[in-house]
Amino acid sequence: MSRCWLVVLVAAALILALSSSAVQAQSFASVGNLDCNGYSQIQQPLKTQLVCADFISDYDQRGYDNGHYIGHDEPDIGIISTAPHSGNNMQWEFTLPRERPLPATQSFENFIAFWFSMALCDPNSFPKGACIADSDQNNPNHAGSALLELQFYPPGFPPLVTQISCDLTHWCAALNIDSLEVESNGQVNPNCTEPVNFAFIQKDGVPTGPPGPGNANGATMTPNTQTLFMNQGDRIRITIKDTSAGLLTVVEDLTTNQTGFMVASVANGFQNTDPNTCATTTFSFHPEYDTAKFDNFVPWAALQANINFAVEIGHFTPGPNGDGDADDAPCFPGPTVAGCTGADIDFDGTSYLRDWPDGTRMNATSIAIRSVAGGGIGPLSMSDDSGVYDQPFPIVQFETDVAGSEAACQPNGVGCVVPPAGAQFYPFFALARDRRDDRGGDDRGNCVLLFGNFSGREIDNFGGDAQYGAPNLAHFFGQNTGGPVSNPCLPQVRGD
């Protein structure tokens, strides 16, 4: 070997050594939010078992974080539209569930959160490419993409490190923005696989603590006097839209006339994460797309996620020690109901029993997502012409990623079934219609979307579990979907 080549190789080795030393020299807090799933090799989580976005790995396989499967069961409805701003400016209206007195099943036994989502730009997140805010020019296969989940937490969990109930009687909500960090070698970074920005919805818009994954602390995930607390049964309106400062989320309690909000901005301390070093930088998040057209999805999410509503189920087994399975822990003795909040990947917990809202007093009430007459179920986007929220979403899609958690589910679709093996029941969406109007006709503009175990007169449950359809191998492994269908609440044209 020539002396020239020797010098080059030595120099290259020195650069690599210095680079490695620089990575090792990064200073990270011992506890934080560098990994939503809690498996970072360099940091302990602030809270374990957060409600994290489920991701898929190479070749559309199950997502693993440091050897741990992190799949979540998230029955979901996707909302699809090609109308301008349907992907970055919309309103939802719904009524929060109300708990029934014990021994009725409580909401937190069925689910740990429900959430409303939106695709956001993050050039550091997979697939690590430039992202143009609010633009359908973004190619999902190239533009870096993060996922907003505006999460609502039911009352009743004790103040443990494993859950985020704000107290025993009220609902609260928080902005969660998840990113997926893939190193230059094509592997997820074991130190910051899925960093999360977290901020409660606040009456003054000021985070309780630093929301960024690199500087989050105990105050970040602790409600304070400015946190928006909502009563059971309150009617809620949420607005999610872009601003020059960053994504604005507003939660209005139409029952109490209280309002909370949060801006995902540099000023509020939001951050994105370097996929190679895990270093964080203040960053303002903005919507990725202008419209919610089909294929404007976050490419790494297990669901076809952009404008969606989902319920996070499968995290509760009753009893102070559950039923003794390896997937039960951690457990707690009460004070409301004793139970365990593990992954429940054998599908034998409360989420997979018939103990879901069904209109009886033996269960909590369901979330009730209202429609606006003539606007179908789900949100309305803002019209440039009117300046108000009056644009319906004409297409919906029921889906679930439960098959990704089924041990028997194979890439060819065999074993990917709903309900999953081991479950006695699987909850589903249903539509309650008021068929009475002043003409005696079918008033499809007046309807409510429910979730649980509803059937009977004036209920359309879309075939129950059949609404989730077959395995969707063309897009995401472990996902079942019935495919896009017309919004069922858009009014029919009636002749005179």
Side-chain angles (χ1 to χ4, degrees), residues 111-134:
F111 59 90
I112 60 174
F114 60 72
W115 47 260
F116 303 84
S117 66
M118 178 184 286
L120 305 181
C121 277
D122 180 358
N124 284 354
S125 181
F126 186 84
K128 293 191 303 181
C131 185
I132 307 169
D134 305 297

Side-chain angles (χ1 to χ4, degrees), residues 75 425-430 450-455 461 463-465 467-468:
F425 174 78
Y426 197 80
F428 48 80
F429 292 93
L450 307 172
F451 186 75
N453 184 18
F454 290 93
S455 61
N461 62 20
D465 290 338
Q467 67 190 235
Y468 297 115

Side-chain angles (χ1 to χ4, degrees), residues 83-213:
H85 316 315
S86 56
N88 62 13
N89 192 353
M90 76 284 301
Q91 282 187 341
W92 298 75
E93 287 194 18
F94 58 93
T95 299
L96 288 168
R98 186 186 299 274
E99 307 307 312
R100 306 287 195 189
L102 293 172
T105 303
Q106 305 298 292
S107 292
F108 74 82
E109 297 181 74
N110 291 142
F111 59 90
I112 60 174
F114 60 72
W115 47 260
F116 303 84
S117 66
M118 178 184 286
L120 305 181
C121 277
D122 180 358
N124 284 354
S125 181
F126 186 84
K128 293 191 303 181
C131 185
I132 307 169
D134 305 297
S135 175
D136 282 4
Q137 295 181 40
N138 292 309
N139 184 326
N141 296 318
H142 301 291
S145 189
L147 182 64
L148 163 73
E149 292 183 0
L150 172 60
Q151 298 177 356
F152 283 75
Y153 307 116
F157 277 120
L160 295 176
V161 297
T162 53
Q163 300 298 345
I164 313 178
S165 278
C166 285
D167 66 17
L168 297 181
T169 59
H170 295 93
W171 287 79
C172 63
L175 226 62
N176 289 252
I177 299 176
D178 294 300
S179 300
L180 185 67
E181 305 307 326
V182 177
E183 297 180 272
S184 298
N185 62 10
Q187 303 298 313
V188 293
N189 192 317
N191 297 325
C192 54
T193 296
E194 190 175 354
V196 59
N197 283 265
F198 180 97
F200 284 110
I201 298 298
Q202 298 288 104
K203 289 181 287 186
D204 60 1
V206 179
T208 58

Side-chain angles (χ1 to χ4, degrees), residues 358-378:
D358 57 3
T360 72
R361 297 192 64 83
M362 289 308 298
N363 305 292
T365 64
S366 170
I367 183 176
I369 300 179
R370 301 287 173 180
S371 70
V372 177
I377 58 173

Side-chain angles (χ1 to χ4, degrees), residues 399-415:
E399 55 185 344
T400 177
D401 61 355
V402 66
S405 299
E406 294 182 74
C409 180
Q410 302 299 315
N412 62 2
V414 173

